[in-house]
Amino acid sequence: MEELKRMHYEAVKSYVSETMHAKKRKGFYYKVIELAGFEAYERDYDEEGDTYDWLKHFLLADCETLVSWVEYHADKLKFDYMKRLYLNRFSKSPVDYVDKEATYNAYTLFKKMNIRVCPYCEHEFLDVVSVNHGMQTKRTVEFDHFYPKGDEDYPGLAMCFYNLIPSCKPCNQLKMTNPVAANPYNPDIENLTNLCPDIPVGINIDDLSEADCKIKINPIGSMIVNESTLALEQRYDSQTSVAYQLLKCKQDFDDDKLLELERLGIGTVSELKREIFGKPRDEARGFELHTKMKYDLIGY
């Protein structure tokens, strides 16, 4: 994460310091230092002595800071310097770049993130693919703005790192300018849902049908808004049979059964789990679909 943030800042800094017109750069500085957290910065812009620490502070503001700015300083986020950069360079095409060295754009950031699954839903894959016999590069990944970049919303945050969420097209289209409240970058987000069917504890899975294993998202706190906006529970209807099979396997191969198989020399418990249930979540997360659902269902 630290390397991603460094790369993002350095690329935008390259644009601001070397490409942005001096008058606009000065105007950008004055807009930024109106926000909370910039009280110590000089009120007069020193172009020759600019270290761009203000830019780093702004671009890499954490989730809590973004929440505070949106809640208390929304009127100060109407400037469009970064929205133009997002539209004209960062997200325009595979061959348009933010920095003068032509190394950084949305495609670069996604590749460096090294994930293949949408963090909003974990229900869709994200890809950058070559089409037309390798003549074109296209992506199924969008960079959603957690806080919308519309002129009447928060255009000033268009290039803030924690406001750029890699997203599948279905999530991005469902969200648009509709609200979400739980940011995937928030380290506590995993604790805000429990993806399990509404079935009695300890019931014999053989007494159930697949239809009984419809996944419930069970959101709490800020995830209630995300679930409603992104229709997560409805989209997980397709996973009913998968949930049933996972619960059936967990019942048929509980810990005692796995230990028995290990004693018989068939394999170690960890080897047997991998063969029966696939990769554990710490390996599969970000690369396989529905790993949280699997973990919530069977603890693996």
Side-chain angles (χ1 to χ4, degrees):
M1 183 62 76
E2 292 305 311
E3 174 58 22
L4 291 174
K5 292 194 295 183
R6 184 203 63 78
M7 179 176 62
H8 185 74
Y9 163 66
E10 292 293 344
V12 178
K13 177 187 173 184
S14 171
Y15 169 79
V16 172
S17 64
E18 300 179 45
T19 304
M20 182 180 259
H21 191 278
K23 186 175 180 180
K24 289 184 177 180
R25 182 165 60 248
K26 182 178 181 179
F28 183 23
Y29 174 84
Y30 285 140
K31 290 294 185 181
V32 167
I33 64 170
E34 289 183 7
L35 297 167
F38 293 88
E39 292 80 5
Y41 286 86
E42 294 293 335
R43 299 298 102 178
D44 292 324
Y45 180 57
D46 179 8
E47 182 174 354
E48 292 188 4
D50 193 350
T51 64
Y52 296 97
D53 181 67
W54 61 274
L55 181 64
K56 186 175 185 179
H57 186 176
F58 174 69
L59 290 173
L60 305 184
D62 60 23
C63 294
E64 289 185 6
T65 301
L66 295 181
V67 169
S68 177
W69 287 347
V70 167
E71 186 171 355
Y72 299 109
H73 302 282
D75 59 319
K76 298 177 181 178
L77 297 170
K78 304 299 183 184
F79 56 89
D80 67 353
Y81 302 108
M82 292 295 95
K83 178 181 177 180
R84 292 182 184 180
L85 178 60
Y86 178 88
L87 293 173
N88 296 332
R89 291 173 178 263
F90 178 75
S91 192
K92 186 176 181 180
S93 79
V95 294
D96 288 282
Y97 297 93
V98 170
D99 55 324
K100 201 169 183 180
E101 294 74 24
T103 63
Y104 186 74
N105 56 19
Y107 293 81
T108 309
L109 178 57
F110 172 65
K111 289 177 183 177
K112 292 289 186 180
M113 283 181 160
N114 196 30
I115 61 171
R116 293 295 179 270
V117 176
C118 176
Y120 273 131
C121 66
E122 210 184 25
H123 189 61
E124 302 283 347
F125 281 113
L126 309 176
D127 288 297
V128 172
V129 296
S130 296
V131 296
N132 295 333
H133 306 288
M135 297 297 292
Q136 286 183 295
T137 299
K138 294 196 173 184
R139 54 188 167 103
T140 63
V141 59
E142 306 280 356
F143 273 96
D144 172 65
H145 288 87
F146 188 80
Y147 298 109
K149 66 182 184 300
D151 290 341
E152 299 305 314
D153 297 302
Y154 315 100
L157 302 180
M159 286 296 290
C160 287
F161 183 84
Y162 287 108
N163 197 39
L164 292 169
I165 313 295
S167 168
C168 65
K169 288 183 179 290
C171 280
N172 203 26
Q173 290 172 0
L174 285 165
K175 178 179 176 291
M176 299 296 285
T177 59
N178 296 312
V180 288
N183 191 318
Y185 284 117
N186 188 324
D188 191 49
I189 196 169
E190 295 285 341
N191 300 320
L192 302 181
T193 52
N194 182 33
L195 281 67
C196 288
D198 186 13
I199 58 176
V201 175
I203 193 170
N204 190 324
I205 302 302
D206 294 327
D207 294 335
L208 300 176
S209 68
E210 289 187 356
D212 295 319
C213 293
K214 180 178 177 180
I215 291 295
K216 302 291 185 182
I217 301 296
N218 301 305
I220 62 173
S222 55
M223 270 301 297
I224 295 173
V225 180
N226 286 41
E227 194 287 316
S228 176
T229 295
L230 303 176
L232 297 176
E233 194 161 285
Q234 295 179 58
R235 293 163 69 189
Y236 270 71
D237 281 349
S238 63
Q239 297 305 301
T240 300
S241 62
V242 176
Y244 177 83
Q245 292 301 323
L246 283 169
L247 291 169
K248 182 74 166 62
C249 284
K250 179 64 175 177
Q251 177 178 278
D252 293 345
F253 296 96
D254 60 14
D255 291 343
D256 290 339
K257 182 65 175 180
L258 292 174
L259 285 169
E260 179 185 349
L261 293 172
E262 185 178 61
R263 287 193 294 270
L264 292 172
I266 295 176
T268 66
V269 169
S270 61
E271 290 170 346
L272 291 167
K273 280 186 174 181
R274 184 179 289 270
E275 183 176 345
I276 296 166
F277 303 119
K279 294 178 182 177
R281 190 169 189 233
D282 59 355
E283 288 184 31
R285 181 165 53 183
F287 298 95
E288 296 181 6
L289 302 179
H290 311 122
T291 64
K292 177 167 170 55
M293 181 189 78
K294 184 170 79 169
Y295 185 83
D296 287 351
L297 286 170
I298 64 171
Y300 180 77

